[in-house]
Amino acid sequence: LVDGAQPGDNLFMHYSGHGGSMPDDNGDEKDGMDETMVPLDYQRAGQIRDDKIFAELCAPLPSGVLLTVVMDCCHSGSALDLPFTF
């Protein structure tokens, strides 16, 4: 989704599925828990932590790119691990 994104681009991601939480593995969560997306193959591949979602979806975006994300799942309020809250 984010590969090749340029200033002025508008990106959209929607996730409807299971969300979860698990103990923080790197000490960056005030509540001690990472929020997760629970993919279909989670028993084999594991849950997707908020740190990984941020690193692969948000951090690589250049300035001037608008990313809209709709998370229809439990624990979605901080699933992108953004450095601010509303």
Side-chain angles (χ1 to χ4, degrees):
L1 176 65
V2 301
D3 287 344
Q6 299 292 318
D9 288 349
N10 291 293
L11 309 175
F12 180 83
M13 184 190 117
H14 174 258
Y15 174 75
S16 288
H18 292 291
S21 61
M22 55 194 325
D24 180 20
D25 65 349
N26 65 0
D28 69 335
E29 301 288 344
K30 288 181 184 177
D31 66 355
M33 301 296 284
D34 278 329
E35 287 64 51
T36 65
M37 291 171 55
V38 184
L40 182 64
D41 63 349
Y42 79 95
Q43 290 178 324
R44 180 183 56 78
Q47 298 180 44
I48 305 169
R49 293 177 182 267
D50 54 6
D51 299 320
K52 183 173 180 80
I53 298 168
F54 178 83
E56 294 193 16
L57 187 66
C58 301
L61 292 176
S63 181
V65 174
L66 176 65
L67 171 64
T68 301
V69 178
V70 176
M71 302 289 282
D72 176 21
C73 59
C74 293
H75 306 283
S76 62
S78 58
L80 295 180
D81 219 14
L82 298 174
F84 51 86
T85 58
F86 294 97

PDB file of all heavy atoms in Angstrom, residues 51-82:
ATOM      1  N   ASP A  51       3.370  -2.263  16.831  1.00  0.00           N
ATOM      2  CA  ASP A  51       4.702  -1.767  16.444  1.00  0.00           C
ATOM      3  C   ASP A  51       4.996  -2.092  14.979  1.00  0.00           C
ATOM      4  O   ASP A  51       5.547  -1.265  14.244  1.00  0.00           O
ATOM      5  CB  ASP A  51       5.791  -2.388  17.323  1.00  0.00           C
ATOM      6  CG  ASP A  51       5.627  -2.047  18.798  1.00  0.00           C
ATOM      7  OD1 ASP A  51       5.282  -0.895  19.111  1.00  0.00           O
ATOM      8  OD2 ASP A  51       5.846  -2.940  19.633  1.00  0.00           O
ATOM      9  N   LYS A  52       4.643  -3.298  14.551  1.00  0.00           N
ATOM     10  CA  LYS A  52       4.883  -3.711  13.165  1.00  0.00           C
ATOM     11  C   LYS A  52       3.960  -2.962  12.209  1.00  0.00           C
ATOM     12  O   LYS A  52       4.381  -2.538  11.127  1.00  0.00           O
ATOM     13  CB  LYS A  52       4.684  -5.215  13.020  1.00  0.00           C
ATOM     14  CG  LYS A  52       4.987  -5.731  11.620  1.00  0.00           C
ATOM     15  CD  LYS A  52       4.935  -7.248  11.575  1.00  0.00           C
ATOM     16  CE  LYS A  52       5.223  -7.783  10.204  1.00  0.00           C
ATOM     17  NZ  LYS A  52       6.635  -7.832   9.883  1.00  0.00           N
ATOM     18  N   ILE A  53       2.703  -2.769  12.611  1.00  0.00           N
ATOM     19  CA  ILE A  53       1.759  -2.024  11.769  1.00  0.00           C
ATOM     20  C   ILE A  53       2.277  -0.606  11.547  1.00  0.00           C
ATOM     21  O   ILE A  53       2.314  -0.112  10.414  1.00  0.00           O
ATOM     22  CB  ILE A  53       0.353  -2.013  12.394  1.00  0.00           C
ATOM     23  CG1 ILE A  53      -0.205  -3.437  12.501  1.00  0.00           C
ATOM     24  CG2 ILE A  53      -0.587  -1.131  11.570  1.00  0.00           C
ATOM     25  CD1 ILE A  53      -1.450  -3.556  13.362  1.00  0.00           C
ATOM     26  N   PHE A  54       2.712   0.053  12.623  1.00  0.00           N
ATOM     27  CA  PHE A  54       3.255   1.403  12.497  1.00  0.00           C
ATOM     28  C   PHE A  54       4.491   1.416  11.607  1.00  0.00           C
ATOM     29  O   PHE A  54       4.614   2.247  10.705  1.00  0.00           O
ATOM     30  CB  PHE A  54       3.601   1.989  13.873  1.00  0.00           C
ATOM     31  CG  PHE A  54       4.212   3.354  13.788  1.00  0.00           C
ATOM     32  CD1 PHE A  54       3.407   4.469  13.664  1.00  0.00           C
ATOM     33  CD2 PHE A  54       5.578   3.523  13.792  1.00  0.00           C
ATOM     34  CE1 PHE A  54       3.960   5.738  13.555  1.00  0.00           C
ATOM     35  CE2 PHE A  54       6.154   4.774  13.686  1.00  0.00           C
ATOM     36  CZ  PHE A  54       5.340   5.893  13.570  1.00  0.00           C
ATOM     37  N   ALA A  55       5.409   0.487  11.853  1.00  0.00           N
ATOM     38  CA  ALA A  55       6.681   0.463  11.115  1.00  0.00           C
ATOM     39  C   ALA A  55       6.479   0.230   9.624  1.00  0.00           C
ATOM     40  O   ALA A  55       7.226   0.774   8.803  1.00  0.00           O
ATOM     41  CB  ALA A  55       7.600  -0.609  11.694  1.00  0.00           C
ATOM     42  N   GLU A  56       5.480  -0.552   9.258  1.00  0.00           N
ATOM     43  CA  GLU A  56       5.298  -0.881   7.842  1.00  0.00           C
ATOM     44  C   GLU A  56       4.253  -0.031   7.134  1.00  0.00           C
ATOM     45  O   GLU A  56       4.297   0.097   5.909  1.00  0.00           O
ATOM     46  CB  GLU A  56       4.947  -2.362   7.710  1.00  0.00           C
ATOM     47  CG  GLU A  56       6.102  -3.241   8.145  1.00  0.00           C
ATOM     48  CD  GLU A  56       5.941  -4.685   7.760  1.00  0.00           C
ATOM     49  OE1 GLU A  56       5.100  -4.999   6.898  1.00  0.00           O
ATOM     50  OE2 GLU A  56       6.671  -5.515   8.323  1.00  0.00           O
ATOM     51  N   LEU A  57       3.333   0.567   7.880  1.00  0.00           N
ATOM     52  CA  LEU A  57       2.242   1.312   7.249  1.00  0.00           C
ATOM     53  C   LEU A  57       2.381   2.822   7.420  1.00  0.00           C
ATOM     54  O   LEU A  57       2.079   3.565   6.499  1.00  0.00           O
ATOM     55  CB  LEU A  57       0.901   0.838   7.827  1.00  0.00           C
ATOM     56  CG  LEU A  57      -0.357   1.369   7.183  1.00  0.00           C
ATOM     57  CD1 LEU A  57      -0.479   0.867   5.747  1.00  0.00           C
ATOM     58  CD2 LEU A  57      -1.582   0.942   7.975  1.00  0.00           C
ATOM     59  N   CYS A  58       2.838   3.266   8.574  1.00  0.00           N
ATOM     60  CA  CYS A  58       2.869   4.705   8.858  1.00  0.00           C
ATOM     61  C   CYS A  58       4.258   5.327   8.700  1.00  0.00           C
ATOM     62  O   CYS A  58       4.406   6.356   8.037  1.00  0.00           O
ATOM     63  CB  CYS A  58       2.373   4.959  10.277  1.00  0.00           C
ATOM     64  SG  CYS A  58       0.704   4.367  10.587  1.00  0.00           S
ATOM     65  N   ALA A  59       5.248   4.723   9.327  1.00  0.00           N
ATOM     66  CA  ALA A  59       6.589   5.313   9.341  1.00  0.00           C
ATOM     67  C   ALA A  59       7.182   5.573   7.955  1.00  0.00           C
ATOM     68  O   ALA A  59       7.854   6.585   7.764  1.00  0.00           O
ATOM     69  CB  ALA A  59       7.535   4.443  10.172  1.00  0.00           C
ATOM     70  N   PRO A  60       6.953   4.700   6.959  1.00  0.00           N
ATOM     71  CA  PRO A  60       7.589   4.938   5.659  1.00  0.00           C
ATOM     72  C   PRO A  60       6.953   6.053   4.826  1.00  0.00           C
ATOM     73  O   PRO A  60       7.507   6.429   3.800  1.00  0.00           O
ATOM     74  CB  PRO A  60       7.422   3.616   4.910  1.00  0.00           C
ATOM     75  CG  PRO A  60       6.842   2.635   5.847  1.00  0.00           C
ATOM     76  CD  PRO A  60       6.301   3.388   6.995  1.00  0.00           C
ATOM     77  N   LEU A  61       5.806   6.579   5.257  1.00  0.00           N
ATOM     78  CA  LEU A  61       5.109   7.565   4.423  1.00  0.00           C
ATOM     79  C   LEU A  61       5.841   8.896   4.387  1.00  0.00           C
ATOM     80  O   LEU A  61       6.193   9.445   5.428  1.00  0.00           O
ATOM     81  CB  LEU A  61       3.689   7.791   4.955  1.00  0.00           C
ATOM     82  CG  LEU A  61       2.747   6.619   4.816  1.00  0.00           C
ATOM     83  CD1 LEU A  61       1.406   6.948   5.479  1.00  0.00           C
ATOM     84  CD2 LEU A  61       2.543   6.247   3.364  1.00  0.00           C
ATOM     85  N   PRO A  62       6.044   9.424   3.197  1.00  0.00           N
ATOM     86  CA  PRO A  62       6.659  10.749   3.106  1.00  0.00           C
ATOM     87  C   PRO A  62       5.664  11.832   3.520  1.00  0.00           C
ATOM     88  O   PRO A  62       4.448  11.623   3.476  1.00  0.00           O
ATOM     89  CB  PRO A  62       7.028  10.882   1.629  1.00  0.00           C
ATOM     90  CG  PRO A  62       6.186   9.904   0.907  1.00  0.00           C
ATOM     91  CD  PRO A  62       5.829   8.832   1.875  1.00  0.00           C
ATOM     92  N   SER A  63       6.177  12.964   3.926  1.00  0.00           N
ATOM     93  CA  SER A  63       5.336  14.108   4.256  1.00  0.00           C
ATOM     94  C   SER A  63       4.457  14.448   3.060  1.00  0.00           C
ATOM     95  O   SER A  63       4.904  14.379   1.916  1.00  0.00           O
ATOM     96  CB  SER A  63       6.225  15.299   4.618  1.00  0.00           C
ATOM     97  OG  SER A  63       5.439  16.402   4.967  1.00  0.00           O
ATOM     98  N   GLY A  64       3.203  14.792   3.322  1.00  0.00           N
ATOM     99  CA  GLY A  64       2.296  15.164   2.244  1.00  0.00           C
ATOM    100  C   GLY A  64       1.419  14.030   1.753  1.00  0.00           C
ATOM    101  O   GLY A  64       0.593  14.226   0.873  1.00  0.00           O
ATOM    102  N   VAL A  65       1.571  12.832   2.318  1.00  0.00           N
ATOM    103  CA  VAL A  65       0.714  11.698   1.979  1.00  0.00           C
ATOM    104  C   VAL A  65      -0.369  11.596   3.052  1.00  0.00           C
ATOM    105  O   VAL A  65      -0.073  11.644   4.244  1.00  0.00           O
ATOM    106  CB  VAL A  65       1.501  10.375   1.907  1.00  0.00           C
ATOM    107  CG1 VAL A  65       0.569   9.200   1.702  1.00  0.00           C
ATOM    108  CG2 VAL A  65       2.535  10.438   0.799  1.00  0.00           C
ATOM    109  N   LEU A  66      -1.615  11.467   2.633  1.00  0.00           N
ATOM    110  CA  LEU A  66      -2.729  11.304   3.562  1.00  0.00           C
ATOM    111  C   LEU A  66      -3.099   9.829   3.625  1.00  0.00           C
ATOM    112  O   LEU A  66      -3.406   9.213   2.604  1.00  0.00           O
ATOM    113  CB  LEU A  66      -3.940  12.115   3.102  1.00  0.00           C
ATOM    114  CG  LEU A  66      -5.201  11.944   3.952  1.00  0.00           C
ATOM    115  CD1 LEU A  66      -4.974  12.480   5.359  1.00  0.00           C
ATOM    116  CD2 LEU A  66      -6.365  12.661   3.297  1.00  0.00           C
ATOM    117  N   LEU A  67      -3.038   9.264   4.823  1.00  0.00           N
ATOM    118  CA  LEU A  67      -3.412   7.872   5.043  1.00  0.00           C
ATOM    119  C   LEU A  67      -4.634   7.848   5.949  1.00  0.00           C
ATOM    120  O   LEU A  67      -4.594   8.358   7.067  1.00  0.00           O
ATOM    121  CB  LEU A  67      -2.272   7.093   5.701  1.00  0.00           C
ATOM    122  CG  LEU A  67      -2.600   5.678   6.184  1.00  0.00           C
ATOM    123  CD1 LEU A  67      -2.964   4.772   5.009  1.00  0.00           C
ATOM    124  CD2 LEU A  67      -1.441   5.098   6.978  1.00  0.00           C
ATOM    125  N   THR A  68      -5.718   7.267   5.471  1.00  0.00           N
ATOM    126  CA  THR A  68      -6.923   7.069   6.266  1.00  0.00           C
ATOM    127  C   THR A  68      -7.038   5.581   6.554  1.00  0.00           C
ATOM    128  O   THR A  68      -6.970   4.768   5.630  1.00  0.00           O
ATOM    129  CB  THR A  68      -8.170   7.566   5.505  1.00  0.00           C
ATOM    130  OG1 THR A  68      -8.006   8.957   5.197  1.00  0.00           O
ATOM    131  CG2 THR A  68      -9.422   7.356   6.332  1.00  0.00           C
ATOM    132  N   VAL A  69      -7.205   5.240   7.830  1.00  0.00           N
ATOM    133  CA  VAL A  69      -7.310   3.837   8.238  1.00  0.00           C
ATOM    134  C   VAL A  69      -8.576   3.663   9.056  1.00  0.00           C
ATOM    135  O   VAL A  69      -8.816   4.401  10.016  1.00  0.00           O
ATOM    136  CB  VAL A  69      -6.089   3.393   9.066  1.00  0.00           C
ATOM    137  CG1 VAL A  69      -6.239   1.947   9.510  1.00  0.00           C
ATOM    138  CG2 VAL A  69      -4.807   3.574   8.271  1.00  0.00           C
ATOM    139  N   VAL A  70      -9.400   2.704   8.685  1.00  0.00           N
ATOM    140  CA  VAL A  70     -10.592   2.338   9.447  1.00  0.00           C
ATOM    141  C   VAL A  70     -10.342   0.957  10.039  1.00  0.00           C
ATOM    142  O   VAL A  70     -10.109  -0.004   9.302  1.00  0.00           O
ATOM    143  CB  VAL A  70     -11.850   2.320   8.555  1.00  0.00           C
ATOM    144  CG1 VAL A  70     -13.055   1.845   9.341  1.00  0.00           C
ATOM    145  CG2 VAL A  70     -12.097   3.697   7.947  1.00  0.00           C
ATOM    146  N   MET A  71     -10.357   0.871  11.353  1.00  0.00           N
ATOM    147  CA  MET A  71     -10.128  -0.395  12.057  1.00  0.00           C
ATOM    148  C   MET A  71     -11.431  -0.793  12.744  1.00  0.00           C
ATOM    149  O   MET A  71     -11.831  -0.167  13.724  1.00  0.00           O
ATOM    150  CB  MET A  71      -9.016  -0.233  13.096  1.00  0.00           C
ATOM    151  CG  MET A  71      -7.684   0.225  12.533  1.00  0.00           C
ATOM    152  SD  MET A  71      -6.850  -1.017  11.581  1.00  0.00           S
ATOM    153  CE  MET A  71      -6.180  -2.024  12.875  1.00  0.00           C
ATOM    154  N   ASP A  72     -12.080  -1.814  12.229  1.00  0.00           N
ATOM    155  CA  ASP A  72     -13.328  -2.328  12.782  1.00  0.00           C
ATOM    156  C   ASP A  72     -13.007  -3.593  13.578  1.00  0.00           C
ATOM    157  O   ASP A  72     -13.200  -4.707  13.099  1.00  0.00           O
ATOM    158  CB  ASP A  72     -14.304  -2.611  11.636  1.00  0.00           C
ATOM    159  CG  ASP A  72     -15.602  -3.239  12.099  1.00  0.00           C
ATOM    160  OD1 ASP A  72     -15.948  -3.108  13.290  1.00  0.00           O
ATOM    161  OD2 ASP A  72     -16.271  -3.872  11.265  1.00  0.00           O
ATOM    162  N   CYS A  73     -12.444  -3.397  14.775  1.00  0.00           N
ATOM    163  CA  CYS A  73     -12.028  -4.527  15.603  1.00  0.00           C
ATOM    164  C   CYS A  73     -11.825  -4.044  17.038  1.00  0.00           C
ATOM    165  O   CYS A  73     -11.724  -2.850  17.296  1.00  0.00           O
ATOM    166  CB  CYS A  73     -10.744  -5.146  15.069  1.00  0.00           C
ATOM    167  SG  CYS A  73      -9.331  -4.022  14.992  1.00  0.00           S
ATOM    168  N   CYS A  74     -11.744  -4.982  17.947  1.00  0.00           N
ATOM    169  CA  CYS A  74     -11.438  -4.654  19.339  1.00  0.00           C
ATOM    170  C   CYS A  74     -10.017  -4.091  19.432  1.00  0.00           C
ATOM    171  O   CYS A  74      -9.159  -4.427  18.626  1.00  0.00           O
ATOM    172  CB  CYS A  74     -11.532  -5.905  20.205  1.00  0.00           C
ATOM    173  SG  CYS A  74     -13.200  -6.560  20.352  1.00  0.00           S
ATOM    174  N   HIS A  75      -9.786  -3.243  20.413  1.00  0.00           N
ATOM    175  CA  HIS A  75      -8.463  -2.673  20.703  1.00  0.00           C
ATOM    176  C   HIS A  75      -7.923  -1.839  19.539  1.00  0.00           C
ATOM    177  O   HIS A  75      -6.718  -1.726  19.351  1.00  0.00           O
ATOM    178  CB  HIS A  75      -7.447  -3.770  21.076  1.00  0.00           C
ATOM    179  CG  HIS A  75      -7.910  -4.634  22.193  1.00  0.00           C
ATOM    180  ND1 HIS A  75      -7.886  -4.227  23.501  1.00  0.00           N
ATOM    181  CD2 HIS A  75      -8.443  -5.886  22.198  1.00  0.00           C
ATOM    182  CE1 HIS A  75      -8.363  -5.186  24.273  1.00  0.00           C
ATOM    183  NE2 HIS A  75      -8.714  -6.208  23.505  1.00  0.00           N
ATOM    184  N   SER A  76      -8.829  -1.242  18.757  1.00  0.00           N
ATOM    185  CA  SER A  76      -8.392  -0.531  17.556  1.00  0.00           C
ATOM    186  C   SER A  76      -7.974   0.910  17.813  1.00  0.00           C
ATOM    187  O   SER A  76      -7.356   1.525  16.958  1.00  0.00           O
ATOM    188  CB  SER A  76      -9.501  -0.547  16.506  1.00  0.00           C
ATOM    189  OG  SER A  76     -10.655   0.129  16.991  1.00  0.00           O
ATOM    190  N   GLY A  77      -8.271   1.457  18.965  1.00  0.00           N
ATOM    191  CA  GLY A  77      -7.975   2.861  19.235  1.00  0.00           C
ATOM    192  C   GLY A  77      -6.514   3.220  19.125  1.00  0.00           C
ATOM    193  O   GLY A  77      -6.159   4.330  18.777  1.00  0.00           O
ATOM    194  N   SER A  78      -5.645   2.279  19.406  1.00  0.00           N
ATOM    195  CA  SER A  78      -4.207   2.548  19.318  1.00  0.00           C
ATOM    196  C   SER A  78      -3.479   1.483  18.497  1.00  0.00           C
ATOM    197  O   SER A  78      -2.291   1.259  18.667  1.00  0.00           O
ATOM    198  CB  SER A  78      -3.596   2.654  20.713  1.00  0.00           C
ATOM    199  OG  SER A  78      -3.827   1.475  21.451  1.00  0.00           O
ATOM    200  N   ALA A  79      -4.191   0.851  17.587  1.00  0.00           N
ATOM    201  CA  ALA A  79      -3.602  -0.235  16.806  1.00  0.00           C
ATOM    202  C   ALA A  79      -2.531   0.243  15.817  1.00  0.00           C
ATOM    203  O   ALA A  79      -1.744  -0.566  15.354  1.00  0.00           O
ATOM    204  CB  ALA A  79      -4.684  -1.005  16.051  1.00  0.00           C
ATOM    205  N   LEU A  80      -2.506   1.538  15.526  1.00  0.00           N
ATOM    206  CA  LEU A  80      -1.455   2.046  14.632  1.00  0.00           C
ATOM    207  C   LEU A  80      -0.240   2.526  15.414  1.00  0.00           C
ATOM    208  O   LEU A  80       0.758   2.897  14.830  1.00  0.00           O
ATOM    209  CB  LEU A  80      -1.985   3.187  13.762  1.00  0.00           C
ATOM    210  CG  LEU A  80      -3.080   2.815  12.767  1.00  0.00           C
ATOM    211  CD1 LEU A  80      -3.491   4.049  11.974  1.00  0.00           C
ATOM    212  CD2 LEU A  80      -2.656   1.703  11.845  1.00  0.00           C
ATOM    213  N   ASP A  81      -0.341   2.534  16.746  1.00  0.00           N
ATOM    214  CA  ASP A  81       0.767   2.950  17.606  1.00  0.00           C
ATOM    215  C   ASP A  81       1.237   4.363  17.285  1.00  0.00           C
ATOM    216  O   ASP A  81       2.437   4.644  17.298  1.00  0.00           O
ATOM    217  CB  ASP A  81       1.920   1.950  17.512  1.00  0.00           C
ATOM    218  CG  ASP A  81       2.570   1.706  18.861  1.00  0.00           C
ATOM    219  OD1 ASP A  81       1.981   2.094  19.895  1.00  0.00           O
ATOM    220  OD2 ASP A  81       3.674   1.136  18.896  1.00  0.00           O
ATOM    221  N   LEU A  82       0.286   5.253  17.007  1.00  0.00           N
ATOM    222  CA  LEU A  82       0.630   6.638  16.681  1.00  0.00           C
ATOM    223  C   LEU A  82       1.123   7.372  17.935  1.00  0.00           C
ATOM    224  O   LEU A  82       0.736   7.031  19.050  1.00  0.00           O
ATOM    225  CB  LEU A  82      -0.577   7.342  16.087  1.00  0.00           C
ATOM    226  CG  LEU A  82      -1.097   6.755  14.778  1.00  0.00           C
ATOM    227  CD1 LEU A  82      -2.398   7.446  14.365  1.00  0.00           C
ATOM    228  CD2 LEU A  82      -0.061   6.852  13.689  1.00  0.00           C
TER     229      LEU A  82
END
